[in-house]
Amino acid sequence: MSKRLIKDEATWILGQSYGMTKAMQRFMDHYFDQLKAEYFKKLRELQDLDLVDKLNDAIFSTRTNRDDLVLMLNLIHDQHQEQMKRNCENAQTPIE
């Protein structure tokens, strides 16, 4: 079994940058998987048509850049909070 030897500093730096890039890719994959799971769960919990319509209008009428993505995630979060508030209110109203 032969070991690969580092012949010069440039090769060492290249190897370090490659390893760091792979580590960042793994971190980002993990981070985005968690983010996706969190927001898909929130979307599945939305039941009221008016909240879903607001999301639909916002998602399909925007361009896909970073700022719009952040706005869409914030909108999903806000609509989910509104849905949870409505669910809590509905649970507290007495059934006659």
Side-chain angles (χ1 to χ4, degrees):
M1 177 187 284
S2 66
K3 291 186 178 181
R4 298 178 80 187
L5 298 175
I6 298 172
K7 300 192 189 282
D8 58 9
E9 188 176 346
T11 305
W12 173 254
I13 292 171
L14 181 64
Q16 274 187 317
S17 66
Y18 178 76
M20 291 173 62
T21 302
K22 293 301 278 183
M24 285 187 280
Q25 287 174 346
R26 286 185 185 161
F27 171 77
M28 295 303 288
D29 283 344
H30 178 70
Y31 176 75
F32 285 126
D33 285 345
Q34 286 182 332
L35 192 66
K36 182 175 76 172
E38 176 187 348
Y39 280 91
F40 280 9
K41 179 179 180 275
K42 288 181 180 185
L43 282 172
R44 283 191 299 273
E45 291 176 349
L46 289 177
Q47 300 166 353
D48 293 348
L49 185 58
D50 62 326
L51 300 177
V52 175
D53 278 341
K54 287 180 189 175
L55 277 174
N56 188 47
D57 292 343
I59 288 173
F60 290 109
S61 66
T62 58
R63 297 176 316 279
T64 52
N65 62 32
R66 183 183 183 283
D67 295 333
D68 291 333
L69 176 62
V70 171
L71 289 173
M72 283 188 274
L73 294 178
N74 287 337
L75 183 60
I76 291 170
H77 180 71
D78 294 343
Q79 299 302 340
H80 179 260
Q81 284 183 331
E82 178 66 25
Q83 181 69 58
M84 294 299 107
K85 188 167 82 172
R86 289 181 185 185
N87 290 349
C88 187
E89 290 171 357
N90 290 341
Q92 291 177 357
T93 53
I95 300 173
E96 297 176 10

